[in-house]
Amino acid sequence: TTKNGIVKIDDVIKYLEITDQSFLNTLFEYKMPMLSFGINYDGLNKDKIFVQETILYKDNNNVINVRFDLSRINYFYWKENITQSKKEKKILNKFFSILKKFKYEFYLEEGDILIHKNKRTLHDRSECNFLLNKDGTLNTREIFVSFVNR
């Protein structure tokens, strides 16, 4: 069974507006490097995708969104063989300590559906259970993604 976590970014923003406006500003200003080769690990397209963007940003409608992928940040430093700055490590550590305050955790069972807006939430999950079928194929959860514009 996989434990899933969701953080609504509005909860984080409201909290920081009251407790630490300076750190909230940092999330809008400090650009994090993120690297991947292709959108999905098993996709056919392996083009390099590098972005260096802030964790929080406002879209064209002035709505605050979040852009954050720790695995892609870590992959950047591993692939480039460079050390992450202490400043960046401190930003990430503080960010994670705040996220823990607002994280909802739950388990999804077979047939459950989780719908969330990717640009307005952060999400994670514990390690998945993988079952090996007699024919050698894997039996695990499936993730179907659909992108919808309003």
Side-chain angles (χ1 to χ4, degrees):
T1 308
T2 303
K3 188 188 313 183
N4 296 269
I6 293 282
V7 176
K8 296 185 293 185
I9 203 62
D10 284 346
D11 294 343
V12 174
I13 292 165
K14 288 175 188 173
Y15 173 78
L16 288 175
E17 285 175 337
I18 295 168
T19 63
D20 196 342
Q21 185 66 46
S22 175
F23 187 66
L24 180 59
N25 293 342
T26 297
L27 296 176
F28 277 105
E29 295 166 1
Y30 190 87
K31 294 185 175 187
M32 294 280 170
M34 293 179 247
L35 175 65
S36 66
F37 286 88
I39 303 285
N40 297 311
Y41 74 94
D42 61 349
L44 298 177
N45 183 340
K46 298 295 182 195
D47 290 344
K48 180 178 182 176
I49 301 171
F50 173 76
V51 296
Q52 191 158 10
E53 299 292 339
T54 58
I55 292 174
L56 297 178
Y57 68 97
K58 290 186 180 181
D59 67 14
N60 293 335
N61 296 317
N62 215 29
V63 175
I64 297 174
N65 291 309
V66 61
R67 178 187 296 111
F68 182 74
D69 188 328
L70 183 60
S71 62
R72 291 179 187 206
I73 292 170
N74 290 338
Y75 187 63
F76 169 78
Y77 287 104
W78 176 81
K79 184 73 173 166
E80 299 298 320
N81 196 26
I82 56 177
T83 302
Q84 188 176 37
S85 72
K86 286 184 181 180
K87 177 181 180 176
E88 192 170 293
K89 286 180 183 180
K90 286 181 181 181
I91 290 170
L92 291 174
N93 284 338
K94 186 169 185 175
F95 187 55
F96 278 117
S97 70
I98 294 166
L99 295 179
K100 286 180 186 177
K101 296 175 187 287
F102 301 101
K103 183 175 177 179
Y104 299 96
E105 292 184 317
F106 51 92
Y107 292 94
L108 294 177
E109 301 296 331
E110 185 175 340
D112 289 348
I113 297 173
L114 170 64
I115 300 172
H116 64 91
K117 190 167 184 178
N118 208 30
K119 293 181 180 181
R120 304 279 296 133
T121 59
L122 291 171
H123 53 92
D124 69 359
R125 65 193 147 284
S126 62
E127 293 184 21
C128 302
N129 295 336
F130 290 94
L131 301 175
L132 187 61
N133 296 322
K134 289 181 181 180
D135 65 358
T137 60
L138 289 177
N139 179 8
T140 185
R141 65 193 181 110
E142 290 185 271
I143 300 174
F144 297 99
V145 178
S146 176
F147 297 98
V148 178
N149 290 323
R150 45 182 170 141

